[in-house]
Amino acid sequence: LKSCLSSSGSIFNRSKSSVNGFGNSAASQTNRKNEEFNLVRRVSFSHRRVREYEVTLGDNPSVSSGAPLSLGWRYNPQENISSLDCHNETSESPSSSCPRIRRSMSELKISDQERHHRLRIDPNVSMEDIFDVLQSTEAARLERKESLTELKMEVLKRRQDML
């Protein structure tokens, strides 16, 4: 990631407050440390460089259903470079030349059917691999569920012991 880092004047403002030795000394020391120096830094970027990686079979048992996806090590060497001029604008008004678009969590989720389809078209992933991962993620989910149940039981037992 190439960037234009501009530290526009690391400005130190020395606090004018003084401690006269009276009152709460711990609070005075904390206030003095907090107010002694105020550092102002600014960073800006001129462009972004996006590298696309392969998507492959993952191992995260937190997936809601189906096989998990993960990023692989291989990537497309042709990077997408774009200017960030409009992304540095602070205005979020509709008249802005570069409107900001945020996707919701539901728009970011990939259905289990879509994940399965992506894995099936990957020549490096076999049906056996998918089956093995489905079994291991299900086993991990069951272990997590058992652990949570045991934890809840332990908490209930502690509460009963306190009574």
Side-chain angles (χ1 to χ4, degrees), residues 1-2 46-54 71 74-84 87 103:
L1 175 71
K2 287 190 176 180
S46 61
H47 64 279
R48 68 177 168 196
R49 183 175 291 185
V50 178
R51 180 185 288 176
E52 294 179 1
Y53 283 82
E54 70 176 335
L71 293 179
R74 292 186 296 234
Y75 61 90
N76 182 352
Q78 186 177 2
E79 296 175 335
N80 179 2
I81 301 172
S82 59
S83 172
L84 291 177
H87 295 286
R103 292 189 272 173

Side-chain angles (χ1 to χ4, degrees), residues 96-150:
S96 175
S97 62
C98 185
R100 298 176 198 258
I101 300 170
R102 281 191 76 98
R103 292 189 272 173
S104 68
M105 284 301 289
S106 62
E107 290 174 312
L108 295 173
K109 291 182 181 177
I110 300 173
S111 70
D112 58 342
Q113 293 90 4
E114 176 64 21
R115 287 189 306 250
H116 184 77
H117 172 71
R118 289 185 184 192
L119 291 169
R120 289 299 304 135
I121 62 174
D122 185 344
N124 299 317
V125 178
S126 69
M127 282 302 291
E128 185 179 343
D129 294 336
I130 295 172
F131 182 73
D132 290 345
V133 166
L134 285 170
Q135 283 188 324
S136 66
T137 55
E138 184 61 28
R141 270 196 289 271
L142 288 174
E143 287 177 13
R144 288 181 176 189
K145 191 174 184 178
E146 288 172 10
S147 294
L148 186 58
T149 302
E150 289 175 12

